[in-house]
Amino acid sequence: MPLCIWGAPVYMGGMYDCLVGMQMMLDGIVPKSSGLSSSSAFVCCAALATMYANGHSLTKLELADVCMRCERYIGTQGGGMDQSISFLAQAGTAKLIEFNPIKATDVQLPDGAVFVVSNSRVEMQKAATSHFNIRVVECRLSCQIIAKSKGLDWMNIKKLGDLQTALGVSLEGMLTIVKDVLHEKPYTKEEICQILNSTEDDLNQNSLSQNTIQVQSFKLYQRATHVFGEANRVQKFKSICDGARNTEGADVKLGQLMNDSHISCRDMYECSCTDLDRLVDLCRQSGALGSRLTGAGWGGCAVSMVPSNKVTDFINNVTAKYYCNESVATVNESLFATAPGSGAAIYI
């Protein structure tokens, strides 16, 4: 059993005296390593089945919290967005996911626009590399250096969101602080130790993860700029959807936010790849108002916002330009229009 799946019954075992044994058969159609949360769907399925088989009841929020921690069994220091939406999704509406505590708010998408998924067919096993965890560590280090520069208890502030809360400033204000405090040149490990007045051993223990201890160079300015910039784009996207999503030009503004997001993912967070960048460009050329990578990155899928009356032409154009050498079956599982659906459930 994969470790991230084993995490579900282990965490639940800590909540209950004992768990019954189970025989399970699993099937699914989510492409693996595609940025479409296949591993999170797997974990959420295991947790839901474990709960039901043992005759217990957890709220969707509690299940999301359990599953958020389960994937860390494989050493990936991920967040909880995928697991949360897996349980909290509702048909007909997108969701804004927030944490501490977990909260989901409806976001009504504009009429006349459809989100189309396209798979670059480049796979990246995030648990098999250190790329994902390096980004987490770089965000943590940027957070701690800024916290120290502001006279905060930097050792106990390890998330950029917590840093913003402690400073009490807006997202745009945080972008200004990042620019003022951090330099664009990569930081060496030695330099970070000097700034934090820390030994290398203490830094390894307090700030790094097991598979990032050997890393010697960190791009702190770029990662923090991406995180606060992306959070700001999310708020702007929701604001447009809440206020005037169906007014003239609103869809163009939303599309531009998606385009800006991909540029930041590519240039500042550096979590894209050549094929995925090419696919995003082809999607824009084929009529998408906006297109960006989705998921952890380094491969996987792009999601594009396409006018509903142009979806067929869009799919035909992307098929001809990117999937021309693929079978019909491969194209059908790699390129498709979507709509917000319901979250995980048990059917009896």
Side-chain angles (χ1 to χ4, degrees):
M1 177 184 290
L3 285 175
C4 59
I5 308 307
W6 177 242
V10 167
Y11 271 115
M12 288 188 174
M15 300 164 68
Y16 307 118
D17 292 336
C18 62
L19 297 173
V20 300
M22 296 180 291
Q23 289 185 330
M24 301 174 65
M25 181 177 72
L26 180 77
D27 189 22
I29 59 171
V30 182
K32 67 177 183 177
S33 301
S34 62
L36 298 181
S37 308
S38 59
S39 61
S40 295
F42 199 6
V43 171
C44 292
C45 175
L48 198 59
T50 301
M51 181 196 75
Y52 180 76
N54 285 271
H56 294 297
S57 178
L58 294 173
T59 68
K60 290 184 176 182
L61 291 173
E62 289 170 333
L63 281 166
D65 184 63
V66 167
C67 293
M68 180 171 57
R69 290 176 281 158
C70 289
E71 289 197 60
R72 295 173 188 171
Y73 264 64
I74 59 174
T76 300
Q77 297 188 14
M81 184 172 62
D82 295 354
Q83 300 85 353
S84 297
I85 195 62
S86 291
F87 286 112
L88 303 176
Q90 289 180 298
T93 180
K95 293 283 187 178
L96 172 69
I97 304 294
E98 300 173 271
F99 298 95
N100 300 317
I102 298 175
K103 177 184 176 183
T105 304
D106 290 353
V107 178
Q108 296 300 323
L109 298 173
D111 298 333
V114 175
F115 288 88
V116 180
V117 171
S118 52
N119 192 348
S120 70
R121 302 190 63 78
V122 175
E123 294 187 5
M124 198 285 287
Q125 300 288 343
K126 62 184 180 183
T129 73
S130 61
H131 298 326
F132 190 91
N133 283 357
I134 289 173
R135 299 300 182 275
V136 175
V137 164
E138 287 173 319
C139 290
R140 183 180 300 145
L141 292 170
S142 66
C143 173
Q144 292 178 320
I145 287 176
I146 294 173
K148 190 173 191 299
S149 76
K150 298 299 181 180
L152 301 176
D153 181 12
W154 66 268
M155 287 190 65
N156 291 316
I157 301 180
K158 298 185 178 182
K159 297 179 180 178
L160 290 168
D162 293 341
L163 174 65
Q164 182 193 0
T165 299
L167 293 175
V169 300
S170 67
L171 290 168
E172 291 182 351
M174 288 306 305
L175 287 168
T176 299
I177 290 173
V178 168
K179 188 173 183 179
D180 290 342
V181 175
L182 301 177
H183 58 66
E184 296 187 34
K185 182 181 177 181
Y187 285 74
T188 65
K189 198 171 187 179
E190 181 182 5
E191 181 183 7
I192 293 171
C193 287
Q194 290 174 350
I195 293 172
L196 296 178
N197 193 26
S198 172
T199 67
E200 183 171 337
D201 287 343
D202 286 341
L203 188 73
N204 291 341
Q205 181 176 351
N206 296 323
S207 303
L208 275 61
S209 60
Q210 189 61 41
N211 66 345
T212 61
I213 289 176
Q214 302 305 318
V215 178
Q216 296 296 319
S217 179
F218 304 88
K219 294 185 177 182
L220 307 188
Y221 170 84
Q222 290 81 356
R223 309 319 184 213
T225 297
H226 169 75
V227 170
F228 287 122
E230 189 75 342
N232 199 30
R233 284 185 286 272
V234 169
Q235 293 295 343
K236 288 180 178 179
F237 195 101
K238 182 180 183 297
S239 179
I240 294 172
C241 289
D242 288 348
R245 65 182 182 276
N246 292 320
T247 60
E248 184 176 357
D251 53 356
V252 175
K253 293 178 181 177
L254 294 175
Q256 187 58 52
L257 287 170
M258 294 180 66
N259 292 336
D260 292 344
S261 175
H262 184 77
I263 291 170
S264 184
C265 287
R266 182 193 67 199
D267 298 341
M268 301 302 283
Y269 212 63
E270 296 181 280
C271 62
S272 189
C273 69
T274 301
D275 285 348
L276 188 50
D277 289 337
R278 182 169 71 89
L279 177 57
V280 166
D281 287 342
L282 288 174
C283 288
R284 293 173 186 162
Q285 295 166 16
S286 298
L289 295 167
S291 186
R292 56 151 296 178
L293 65 81
T294 187
W298 294 283
C301 291
V303 59
S304 303
M305 189 171 75
V306 181
S308 55
N309 61 352
K310 297 182 179 180
V311 171
T312 299
D313 288 343
F314 173 84
I315 289 177
N316 289 338
N317 287 335
V318 175
T319 299
K321 294 176 181 177
Y322 194 84
Y323 301 104
C324 56
N325 297 319
E326 303 290 352
S327 66
V328 173
T330 297
V331 173
N332 288 340
E333 70 179 22
S334 301
L335 180 63
F336 49 89
T338 67
S342 299
I346 297 172
Y347 295 89
I348 303 173

